[in-house]
Amino acid sequence: MENKTQKKEALLLIDIQNDYFEGGAYALVHPEKASINAKAVLEKFRSDHKTIVHVQHIAEEGFFLPNTEGVKIHQDVLPIKGEKIITKHVPNSFQGTDLLSYLHENKITDLVICGMMTQICVDSAVRAAKDYGFTVTLLADACATLDLEFQGKIIEAEHVQASFISALQFYYADVTTTNQFLNL
């Protein structure tokens, strides 16, 4: 008889921190919408007693500085006792952290990912997770980014978001919305 690995899912909440919200050092476009969606998924994972991992970026310059309000995880998705918090110092949530070993120790096979900033930290985590063999679901409306500039042209946040998420959808992740995910 063949022994198949049983699917075991974890939620990965990436950098949903105060500096990305209004009044923060690096405000994104509509982070509130993304955090409310992330909160709905977080509540579902809590009620189902599934593994939850919060990723908190702490930087040496710019934003997410130690001992500031901006570095704190946003109130919508505050960790509770027993939920893992990973501290990182670079965009990739796996690099220089114990995230991979923690997921392996807990026999996680599938990751549901949401967070901020889509084109940097979310993108790098999704790609790394797939490279490490995880099945990845990305919740597009539980992620946020900002307007970017390239060669004097402004690329609006919604286009940045669509470009990166559509690229990830090709190979790296199953992309869905919060409502679709919660109503499966």
Side-chain angles (χ1 to χ4, degrees):
M1 189 167 149
E2 193 175 315
N3 184 11
K4 291 192 175 186
T5 304
Q6 187 174 3
K7 174 182 170 176
K8 188 172 180 191
E9 198 172 52
L11 175 63
L12 188 61
L13 298 149
I14 301 171
D15 301 350
I16 304 177
Q17 296 170 243
N18 290 336
D19 268 343
Y20 281 150
F21 291 79
E22 186 177 335
Y26 207 75
L28 303 182
V29 174
H30 305 301
E32 304 81 14
K33 290 179 183 178
S35 71
I36 289 168
N37 287 328
K39 180 180 181 178
V41 176
L42 174 59
E43 289 170 352
K44 174 69 172 150
F45 269 72
R46 285 176 176 162
S47 70
D48 290 348
H49 306 288
K50 291 184 177 181
T51 303
I52 297 163
V53 180
H54 300 264
V55 178
Q56 182 180 30
H57 195 126
I58 299 177
E60 293 181 15
E61 59 185 0
F63 54 99
F64 293 156
L65 298 175
N67 306 311
T68 64
E69 280 300 309
V71 77
K72 293 179 181 176
I73 294 174
H74 191 269
Q75 65 185 2
D76 285 346
V77 293
L78 281 175
I80 60 173
K81 185 178 181 181
E83 294 175 354
K84 177 77 170 166
I85 301 171
I86 299 284
T87 300
K88 68 179 178 77
H89 305 287
V90 297
N92 184 342
S93 297
F94 290 90
Q95 186 178 341
T97 71
D98 67 342
L99 178 58
L100 184 60
S101 63
Y102 179 79
L103 295 173
H104 283 162
E105 288 166 13
N106 286 279
K107 300 183 180 3
I108 301 301
T109 60
D110 293 52
L111 289 175
V112 176
I113 298 179
C114 56
M116 302 175 183
M117 207 174 343
T118 306
Q119 80 280 9
I120 299 177
C121 297
V122 172
D123 179 74
S124 64
V126 167
R127 290 172 188 269
K130 177 71 172 181
D131 289 346
Y132 283 124
F134 296 97
T135 299
V136 178
T137 299
L138 178 61
L139 303 179
D141 61 350
C143 296
T145 190
L146 72 168
D147 295 345
L148 296 177
E149 183 271 330
F150 179 69
Q151 295 183 343
K153 182 178 179 181
I154 300 297
I155 298 94
E156 293 179 12
E158 69 180 289
H159 298 294
V160 174
Q161 182 89 344
S163 295
F164 273 82
I165 289 180
S166 63
L168 291 171
Q169 179 177 276
F170 180 76
Y171 173 78
Y172 288 97
D174 294 321
V175 176
T176 190
T177 65
T178 301
N179 283 338
Q180 290 169 333
F181 179 79
L182 293 175
N183 292 313
L184 288 178

